[in-house]
Amino acid sequence: MDEVIQVTQWLSSITPRKKAKLFFFTTHADAPSPMVGSNDVDTHEETQLPLATTVALHNFKNIDEFLKKKVNTFSCYNVIENEITKTDYEYLRFYSACKYLDVVPPFLDLEKISAIQNKFEMTDEERDYRLLLDSADLVLEKVCDSLKPAGVSQMWTALRKDRNLIRGVKTIDIIGFFVDPNPTGIKECLFFFIVRFLQKADKINRVNTNRLERLIAQCDESSSCEEGKTIDFIIDSLRFYPTELYPFGFCLIMCVIEGRDGAMQEIEKTMEISRHLGMITHTEKNPTKETIELVKKELMKPKYQFYSSFTCWFMSHGDSNSMVLADGETIEREWFLTSFPDISTFQLKPKVFFMVSCRGANKFSLKGDEFEGQSATCDYYDIGSALIRNRMLDITDSVRDISYVQPMMDTLVAYSTILGHLSGRANTHGSIYVDRACVLMSENISRGRSSTEILEHLSQDLHEILQETMDEDRIVYKQACHYDSFFRKTLKLPYTRHPKEDVHSAPQ
């Protein structure tokens, strides 16, 4: 069959709502850069004009033409270059969006997708199409689905009133002031236009969504929300880090085994909980400084742009300032913590570090006969209002900026003990902190708990446990953990437990 006929038939089989969503996912706002074949030319015409004309004319002709152009580009594309190109990235995004919406063209060359994934050096686990979807776009899709056409229309009216923001923007004038968003698919096109416009104007990104939240907050709840939804519910959904679908993120486990009883148990527990959380995991046993540098270099590769979050477990001996590596050398804890968050592939994404090591030799000792012989360090331990606002500063958009971000932002560092104190271990099971952390995360999957809620529960749980030193003094003591957070949103645990067999590879 002629390819033109195939493309026409394919487009005619897609509903207007899905066309709008396919366009939105395909014109992803945060494509990795720099990319071969990419430049800094404004893509305003490509990403906003088709949406604007569709809303104004109630006609999907320009979106159809955009999708046809994409299909034709991919059809002619020859995957022979060693370097990753802009087309490689776009091809993967297009395929994943089609797969997610269940509109994969029957004529799409899946072998090319495999070849592109090879260029990205993707493992079998990483060939799951869900990795290629942008989680922030998926959250925005859900927000759109929660709003009625009247709600999106009210957002548009509120946006049009901000004359400083819309001045000189031609696509705004194309749509006009009054919009009828009721025809099928027009609501979605208008909402996605608003989102992409705010992104291009540097008013929102995957972390900073205040400007979009303020537009939604101006909607009338009785006429703007779909059944079962509220304005508060919709806004709350934007206040979590976007980690939709599988995988939940990338997990790096670094564990010094030498001279650390129970270290293999620590690795097994952290690997198991990471997989249950839906993370793709990499383990480094007995890391050295060279190992750490190689891992940092690895994480700079383009494929890590697709991950929604980064988690690192680092388990070793240590003191107040440093951690001991497998070769006996030490690294400054502060150096380690500041070097990883600066990796560009995980910018604007949550990064969680579990630092499991002693930070000194002090102990919160417990004295008295009733404490003797009672500790979890022995072998038997196992896991199982408006008025107020009017009196506050008026912070205008002119003094807000989301373009420049401190490297440590969106990072959380969890310490197994407080500064200057021991981090306890069980003789055969390794770190008690690691053990309890894994248990609590496993128990709270699908309960809607956030990472900080888990850590607060962990702090309570750990501080109830009596531990005992392994020296001849056999001192009974308690351990206190804590965390430092630079988070700007809430990081929730996934609602679904992900056993290993749930992972399906993309086309081979």
Side-chain angles (χ1 to χ4, degrees):
M1 187 184 295
D2 182 79
E3 186 173 310
V4 174
I5 297 175
Q6 285 185 310
V7 174
T8 301
Q9 289 180 344
W10 170 67
L11 284 171
S12 66
S13 70
I14 305 174
T15 66
R17 290 183 71 242
K18 284 191 175 183
K19 282 183 183 179
K21 292 184 177 185
L22 182 57
F23 181 89
F24 178 64
F25 292 138
T26 305
T27 57
H28 177 62
D30 299 316
S33 60
M35 301 287 285
V36 176
S38 178
N39 52 50
D40 295 328
V41 175
D42 182 19
T43 56
H44 160 80
E45 293 291 324
E46 185 179 61
T47 61
Q48 296 181 51
L49 187 57
L51 290 172
T53 55
T54 302
V55 173
L57 303 174
H58 291 182
N59 186 314
F60 277 78
K61 177 181 177 181
N62 285 340
I63 288 182
D64 285 350
E65 288 301 318
F66 171 88
L67 295 174
K68 283 181 184 177
K69 182 180 177 182
K70 285 293 179 188
V71 169
N72 291 335
T73 299
F74 299 147
S75 177
C76 299
Y77 184 55
N78 196 0
V79 189
I80 57 173
E81 304 163 11
N82 291 324
E83 293 179 293
I84 293 172
T85 68
K86 181 181 179 182
T87 304
D88 289 329
Y89 177 84
E90 292 177 344
Y91 206 146
L92 291 183
R93 286 291 190 198
F94 179 78
Y95 164 72
S96 65
C98 288
K99 185 82 172 171
Y100 173 70
L101 295 169
D102 196 23
V103 294
V104 178
F107 49 84
L108 194 67
D109 192 340
L110 302 184
E111 289 186 2
K112 286 185 181 180
I113 293 170
S114 243
I116 294 171
Q117 289 172 327
N118 290 339
K119 290 172 66 174
F120 275 90
E121 301 177 28
M122 289 182 171
T123 64
D124 287 345
E125 283 184 298
E126 291 170 329
R127 291 170 187 257
D128 189 309
Y129 80 93
R130 293 171 294 180
L131 173 66
L132 308 174
L133 290 163
D134 183 75
S135 54
D137 281 351
L138 294 176
V139 171
L140 291 166
E141 178 208 18
K142 288 184 177 180
V143 170
C144 181
D145 290 345
S146 299
L147 290 166
K148 290 181 177 179
V152 180
S153 180
Q154 290 166 32
M155 289 176 62
W156 176 247
T157 301
L159 178 67
R160 287 289 310 236
K161 291 178 180 178
D162 191 339
R163 299 191 179 279
N164 289 330
L165 182 59
I166 68 171
R167 184 179 292 118
V169 181
K170 294 180 180 178
T171 46
I172 297 284
D173 295 330
I174 289 174
I175 297 176
F177 199 93
F178 299 103
V179 177
D180 177 12
N182 289 293
T184 305
I186 301 303
K187 177 196 79 171
E188 286 76 14
C189 287
L190 181 57
F191 180 83
F192 296 145
F193 175 88
I194 293 171
V195 167
R196 290 292 185 243
F197 170 74
L198 291 174
Q199 289 170 334
K200 294 295 180 182
D202 267 341
K203 296 302 179 183
I204 65 170
N205 55 34
R206 64 185 298 121
V207 172
N208 303 89
T209 54
N210 287 337
R211 193 66 184 84
L212 182 61
E213 292 172 26
R214 281 152 51 194
L215 288 178
I216 297 171
Q218 294 181 60
C219 295
D220 172 58
E221 186 163 281
S222 62
S223 62
S224 62
C225 300
E226 291 288 354
E227 185 176 353
K229 308 297 183 184
T230 65
I231 294 295
D232 285 344
F233 173 87
I234 296 170
I235 292 176
D236 281 348
S237 69
L238 290 167
R239 292 180 177 171
F240 300 105
Y241 281 108
T243 51
E244 302 293 302
L245 292 184
Y246 171 91
F248 183 63
F250 182 80
C251 181
L252 171 65
I253 300 171
M254 290 186 167
C255 183
V256 176
I257 299 173
E258 301 299 328
R260 296 183 66 249
D261 294 337
M264 291 304 298
Q265 286 277 335
E266 295 171 353
I267 293 175
E268 290 176 14
K269 292 170 188 174
T270 50
M271 286 182 65
E272 182 179 10
I273 191 61
S274 297
R275 287 170 178 157
H276 281 326
L277 289 171
M279 293 183 180
I280 293 177
T281 305
H282 175 76
T283 302
E284 288 287 347
K285 299 176 183 177
N286 288 324
T288 63
K289 193 163 187 176
E290 181 182 4
T291 307
I292 294 171
E293 291 296 343
L294 288 173
V295 168
K296 286 166 58 181
K297 186 177 180 180
E298 167 70 19
L299 293 175
M300 292 295 292
K301 291 182 178 179
K303 71 175 182 178
Y304 293 98
Q305 294 268 9
F306 295 112
Y307 283 93
S308 300
S309 69
F310 174 75
T311 299
C312 175
W313 293 84
F314 195 100
M315 297 166 282
S316 71
H317 289 305
D319 57 29
S320 58
N321 298 314
S322 60
M323 303 177 295
V324 183
L325 302 175
D327 55 6
E329 296 293 318
T330 62
I331 57 167
E332 295 295 311
R333 191 177 285 104
E334 191 67 22
W335 172 82
F336 181 86
L337 289 172
T338 55
S339 58
F340 275 88
D342 205 19
I343 294 176
S344 61
T345 44
F346 291 100
Q347 188 178 19
L348 300 180
K349 298 172 184 179
K351 296 164 283 288
V352 180
F353 293 84
F354 291 94
M355 311 304 292
V356 185
S357 69
C358 291
R359 301 176 70 195
N362 294 329
K363 299 172 287 294
F364 176 57
S365 304
L366 305 179
K367 302 184 184 299
D369 294 342
E370 68 270 27
F371 297 117
E372 290 189 12
Q374 299 183 39
S375 81
T377 320
C378 305
D379 285 344
Y380 62 75
Y381 179 75
D382 204 348
I383 63 171
S385 102
L387 181 61
I388 294 176
R389 177 174 290 276
N390 290 338
R391 295 161 60 186
M392 300 300 178
L393 283 172
D394 181 18
I395 308 298
T396 63
D397 284 349
S398 63
V399 295
R400 292 180 182 272
D401 173 79
I402 67 171
S403 304
Y404 301 96
V405 182
Q406 290 278 2
M408 284 298 289
M409 297 306 293
D410 307 305
T411 300
L412 183 150
V413 183
Y415 296 94
S416 63
T417 190
I418 59 178
L419 183 62
H421 286 68
L422 287 174
S423 181
R425 312 175 53 70
N427 291 342
T428 58
H429 290 83
S431 167
I432 296 175
Y433 174 88
V434 170
D435 187 282
R436 300 317 300 162
C438 291
V439 167
L440 291 175
M441 282 189 274
S442 180
E443 289 177 350
N444 284 280
I445 294 174
S446 77
R447 293 183 180 178
R449 299 284 192 267
S450 70
S451 56
T452 49
E453 285 178 303
I454 301 300
L455 290 171
E456 287 157 5
H457 191 173
L458 174 60
S459 181
Q460 177 191 140
D461 188 36
L462 185 67
H463 200 57
E464 290 178 355
I465 298 171
L466 301 178
Q467 302 188 50
E468 189 175 61
T469 60
M470 297 182 184
D471 55 23
E472 60 183 18
D473 294 329
R474 312 298 288 183
I475 297 172
V476 178
Y477 67 98
K478 281 189 170 186
Q479 181 176 336
C481 60
H482 77 108
Y483 65 90
D484 294 331
S485 177
F486 303 88
F487 274 5
R488 292 182 286 170
K489 285 185 180 291
T490 301
L491 177 61
K492 273 195 174 184
L493 269 63
Y495 281 95
T496 305
R497 185 181 294 271
H498 294 275
K500 188 176 182 180
E501 57 267 26
D502 275 358
V503 180
H504 302 289
S505 296
Q508 300 297 312

